[in-house]
Amino acid sequence: PGQTMASRLPRRRPQRHSRCLISPVVLLFVKDVASFSAPAQTPSFKPADYLKDEFTKASDFLAPSGIVEMIPKRRSSSGNAIDDTQSTPTPLRQDMFSSPLISVLYERILPPLWEAGLRNGGPDQEYQNAAAYLEGDGSTVGLDLSCGTGFVGIRMAKSGDYRHVFALDYSRQMLNECVATVRRKNDTGEDLPLSIIRGDAGKLPFNDNSIDAVHWGAAMHCVPDAEAAMAEVFRILKPGGNLYATTFLRPFPDVVFRFFDLDELKDIATGAGFGADGGHLEVKADKRVYGVILAAKGGEKEREAQ
């Protein structure tokens, strides 16, 4: 009572409009800081970029926990694939590696014998010698050729020196052991920059001038045609790319395997192209029965900016 209608109404508080005026200079500063702090995006690795056209689709299935077949098929004059698995016998030096006992022998029995002097040390020493020459720098794409159970290829992939490593062997049994090793030592292994391929050393699935570094460990004596395989290694290496290869020498007898002398190894390497066009080639013996090839493909080194 006694109050007017106007006095009963609630008083409105005056609205305050506050504006935050940001200087264009401040905006430019923030933009510069953001661009400076955001790291450059590294392109994802695409195995298909390194493989021949006939294997690009298969590259979708590459993983450290599985094996992908990349052995090229012979074709008839009409272009149809020829199944010659029955008509063409596999050389004994290759066929014997299809036994599961061989893969177990390589992974669990032979390494102590190697360390005792059969070759230049065990798996760790082989890897260290190869790594010192191959010089992976984090952007390197490497191949562990005739990888066997993968004791060097897996170490290469875990080292951080390689953007990616392809591990290739003809023997499915050896590759099965490689996959088992990855799973045993690295859980699923899905984060390991490693692809496991069943392939032929004499018909590699990679493009010309595509691989930075090749390790070919204690295996030249096992392949059916060492000259053809060495020519393939030279073909796929980039100019300036490195090869570290080891094999056994005579006086081991050429019964199942083909063993070499140093002059023969040098002839095979030079025949493939190593030592020409400014390239490096050194062939030496280690402990008299173990041959080592240190080679770099000639030509100007142009490693891609990754």
Side-chain angles (χ1 to χ4, degrees):
Q3 291 183 340
T4 63
M5 182 63 67
S7 63
R8 295 179 183 177
L9 295 176
R11 295 181 180 180
R12 294 181 179 178
R13 295 181 180 179
Q15 295 182 353
R16 297 179 180 177
H17 300 281
S18 59
R19 294 181 180 178
C20 181
L21 299 177
I22 302 177
S23 168
V25 176
V26 174
L27 286 174
L28 289 174
F29 174 77
V30 172
K31 181 179 179 181
D32 288 343
V33 170
S35 63
F36 175 79
S37 60
Q41 294 296 317
T42 302
S44 59
F45 179 82
K46 297 179 181 178
D49 295 340
Y50 296 80
L51 296 166
K52 292 180 177 179
D53 291 342
E54 63 185 296
F55 300 115
T56 52
K57 290 184 179 179
S59 68
D60 294 338
F61 302 97
L62 287 172
S65 57
I67 303 166
V68 176
E69 293 274 347
M70 291 192 182
I71 295 178
K73 296 183 179 296
R74 288 199 309 122
R75 297 191 176 275
S76 65
S77 57
S78 61
N80 296 323
I82 299 174
D83 183 6
D84 57 3
T85 55
Q86 301 299 325
S87 59
T88 305
T90 305
L92 179 58
R93 68 183 70 169
Q94 268 189 328
D95 192 54
M96 64 182 298
F97 286 95
S98 63
S99 169
L101 296 177
I102 293 293
S103 61
V104 175
L105 180 73
Y106 264 72
E107 181 67 18
R108 304 173 189 178
I109 299 175
L110 283 179
L113 298 178
W114 293 335
E115 291 178 351
L118 183 59
R119 56 193 276 187
N120 61 342
D124 286 327
Q125 188 63 54
E126 172 83 15
Y127 164 70
Q128 290 167 13
N129 292 343
Y133 184 75
L134 296 179
E135 297 181 333
D137 63 4
S139 68
T140 304
V141 175
L143 167 64
D144 185 18
L145 178 58
S146 301
C147 66
T149 58
F151 59 78
V152 171
I154 293 172
R155 285 169 170 81
M156 290 170 67
K158 285 185 173 183
S159 69
D161 295 334
Y162 296 85
R163 188 181 185 206
H164 198 83
V165 176
F166 295 100
L168 182 146
D169 202 283
Y170 186 83
S171 168
R172 176 166 282 277
Q173 291 297 334
M174 299 290 269
L175 294 177
N176 285 338
E177 186 67 27
C178 179
V179 170
T181 300
V182 169
R183 292 174 176 172
R184 186 169 61 248
K185 296 182 178 180
N186 201 60
D187 297 322
T188 62
E190 292 300 334
D191 59 340
L192 200 64
L194 179 71
S195 296
I196 300 176
I197 298 173
R198 182 172 182 257
D200 187 342
K203 299 175 183 177
L204 294 174
F206 306 103
N207 290 325
D208 296 358
N209 307 313
S210 59
I211 304 296
D212 296 307
V214 175
H215 168 257
W216 192 9
M220 282 184 65
H221 54 281
C222 301
V223 299
D225 190 337
E227 285 82 0
M230 185 66 77
E232 279 290 272
V233 170
F234 185 83
R235 177 185 67 80
I236 68 169
L237 273 175
K238 291 181 180 179
N242 294 328
L243 164 68
Y244 181 90
T246 55
T247 189
F248 290 102
L249 303 173
R250 298 188 181 99
F252 286 116
D254 297 339
V255 178
V256 175
F257 301 108
R258 173 193 175 185
F259 297 109
F260 310 91
D261 57 41
L262 293 181
D263 289 338
E264 194 174 2
L265 289 179
K266 186 175 181 179
D267 288 344
I268 292 173
T270 55
F274 288 107
D277 195 19
H280 171 73
L281 177 60
E282 179 184 358
V283 179
K284 62 183 181 179
D286 193 330
K287 297 185 178 179
R288 296 185 180 181
V289 296
Y290 204 56
V292 181
I293 299 175
L294 307 170
K297 185 174 180 176
E300 185 178 354
K301 188 171 184 178
E302 295 181 354
R303 181 168 295 174
E304 297 176 1
Q306 304 292 353

